[in-house]
Amino acid sequence: MLSAERPSPATHSSFLPTPPGQGQRAVVVVGQRPGETERRLANLVGQVGWNSVRVLDEENIVWAATVHHPAAVIIVADADDWTVRTVRAVRAATQGVIVVVGRLDALRTVHILTVGADSVVTDDAPDAEILARLFALIRREPGTVEESTHYLQADGLTLDLRNREVTQAGNTVRLTSTEFRLLQLLMQEHGRTVPNQKIIARVWGGGAAEGINTLRIFIARLRRKLGDPATNPRLVASIRGHGYRFLPQVIELRTDGRDDPTPDTEPMSGLDAVERLAHSLAGCADTRTVSEAFVHFLVNGTTVDGVAVHRKVNRRLLLQAQYGLSPEWVRHATDLPITGGLAAGAALEASSELVVLDRGPRRFRDTARLLQDEGVASTLFLPFNFGPNAIGCVGVTRRTTGPWSARPLSVLRALTAVYGSQAAARTA
């Protein structure tokens, strides 16, 4: 907690570091209970022009870390089990920066870093230092590559630099943003030993708190995810007393299509998507055909894997159309009672978007049962107006991990609004 002699942040805001030049961003501040440190950090973020989102409800932590797509999540350390559980939950929801603020001893610090945090800062550190460490993590982009480089490839491992994704032998490897930067730096310097201090400076910003022990923890995490044992490494070798070396030859692939190993899967622009959807719905005669056209458009025209549209009638949800989900799911989801365990019902009750991850809030047990065999990593629920008196909900599923980023989310909102207006017009 702050000492009485310490000047308030407002008295020295002109000395605060400048945020990275990415426009106004959101930072989620998480605490187990209201307190001085949690309030101070939220105010501190606001002083530099960024939005702070305060979360004290444990069930909403994952939701906030996913839907707000924050630049970082700051977790105020509390009881050991709560802090560890919260770091793990946030890490499962986002690959972004996680900073834990509190007075942790060396053992607890190592544990927190091991389960997913990127940095640990003491709660009595000066405001400028906390922000400097936070911004250093956010802005870190290791090394430089040609602007036309899209992929780094080596020994079955592929880094997609544009989409910040990693695959190994065709399988997705879920890395945090810090782990991604660490791997990218080592691959860009392949064949050369990268000194420990250079890695720390490039990946963490060179803060004293991010030392050799932190680097070792992250190397161990990276090796574990890549299946690369330290005793007989194929990818990352430790050069005792010096640093680390990426062993295989790395190939840089361009984005001009000649060397691109995968097709371009960038989602269409928002205006283009809205125009195409409106055109495809124009010839539909009734709400059923509008709904069918809508779900097929989303799966075929965007980057989602499955879509279902339900209409609310009294206290039940009636399936209007679906695409990309199994016949077994359809059999159980055609007519659903709205219960406390149904995420779509919760989204409708709150008139708010809701994201459920495969390890999301346990209160949505009915939704978890419906999706347990669908191979879904996350589902986004978007409520919409459907005629003058009834409302409905669009459920959009993805099998890939990672947060719903701002651009696809805004496109899906616009497309859902178009669908709702077209469906309503045919019920008038």
Side-chain angles (χ1 to χ4, degrees), residues 109-169:
T109 297
V110 169
H111 192 190
I112 292 299
L113 292 171
T114 300
V115 298
D118 294 291
S119 182
V120 175
V121 183
T122 59
D123 57 5
D124 59 352
D127 291 350
E129 180 182 340
I130 292 177
L131 284 184
R133 292 189 183 283
L134 182 67
F135 294 156
L137 285 167
I138 293 171
R139 71 165 58 93
R140 288 299 98 189
E141 290 295 337
T144 57
V145 294
E146 295 294 326
E147 289 186 1
S148 59
T149 298
H150 188 164
Y151 301 97
L152 299 178
Q153 280 192 338
D155 196 26
L157 187 67
T158 300
L159 264 70
D160 183 338
L161 302 179
R162 180 187 300 166
N163 298 310
R164 313 294 285 178
E165 295 175 350
V166 180
T167 57
Q168 187 176 39

Side-chain angles (χ1 to χ4, degrees), residues 171-398:
N171 298 315
T172 299
V173 180
R174 183 179 171 84
L175 298 185
T176 70
S177 58
T178 302
E179 292 162 355
F180 187 96
R181 292 193 300 268
L182 176 57
L183 180 58
Q184 182 181 340
L185 171 59
L186 293 174
M187 290 184 72
Q188 289 172 203
E189 301 280 352
H190 64 95
R192 295 187 290 269
T193 299
V194 187
N196 293 324
Q197 292 305 321
K198 180 178 179 179
I199 297 174
I200 294 167
R202 294 272 284 277
V203 176
W204 285 275
E210 284 72 45
I212 300 300
N213 287 336
T214 299
L215 175 57
R216 287 171 180 162
I217 290 169
F218 275 82
I219 289 289
R221 279 168 47 175
L222 188 60
R223 282 172 166 161
R224 184 173 62 253
K225 292 183 178 183
L226 297 177
D228 190 39
T231 53
N232 186 26
R234 293 180 301 102
L235 301 175
V236 180
S238 174
I239 311 303
R240 187 176 180 84
H242 294 282
Y244 295 90
R245 179 188 303 159
F246 192 82
L247 298 174
Q249 177 71 27
V250 174
I251 301 172
E252 294 183 6
L253 300 177
R254 301 172 65 85
T255 61
D256 58 8
R258 290 174 297 179
D259 300 314
D260 231 343
T262 61
D264 187 7
T265 58
E266 289 267 323
M268 65 180 72
S269 69
L271 290 177
D272 182 41
V274 169
E275 182 180 358
R276 292 191 189 186
L277 177 61
H279 179 75
S280 67
L281 299 184
C284 296
D286 52 33
T287 56
R288 184 186 64 80
T289 54
V290 166
S291 300
E292 290 286 350
F294 174 62
V295 297
H296 280 77
F297 179 89
L298 285 193
V299 174
N300 294 324
T302 67
T303 57
V304 303
D305 298 304
V307 182
V309 179
H310 282 86
R311 181 179 179 180
K312 181 183 177 185
V313 178
N314 297 323
R315 292 294 300 169
R316 306 190 75 84
L317 291 178
L318 304 182
L319 183 64
Q320 305 297 295
Q322 68 80 29
Y323 189 52
L325 295 162
S326 70
E328 184 70 11
W329 180 91
V330 173
R331 188 167 69 86
H332 289 96
T334 298
D335 184 350
L336 295 170
I338 297 179
T339 64
L342 195 66
L348 286 171
E349 294 286 340
S351 296
S352 176
E353 296 163 3
L354 177 66
V355 172
V356 174
L357 303 174
D358 57 352
R359 288 168 288 182
R362 281 173 276 179
R363 63 190 176 105
F364 298 129
R365 292 187 177 91
D366 294 338
T367 296
R369 278 196 293 269
L370 284 169
L371 296 174
Q372 63 184 353
D373 296 323
E374 299 298 308
V376 170
S378 66
T379 304
L380 170 67
F381 294 92
L382 296 154
F384 62 93
N385 293 329
F386 196 96
N389 300 315
I391 54 176
C393 190
V394 176
V396 181
T397 67
R398 289 195 318 192

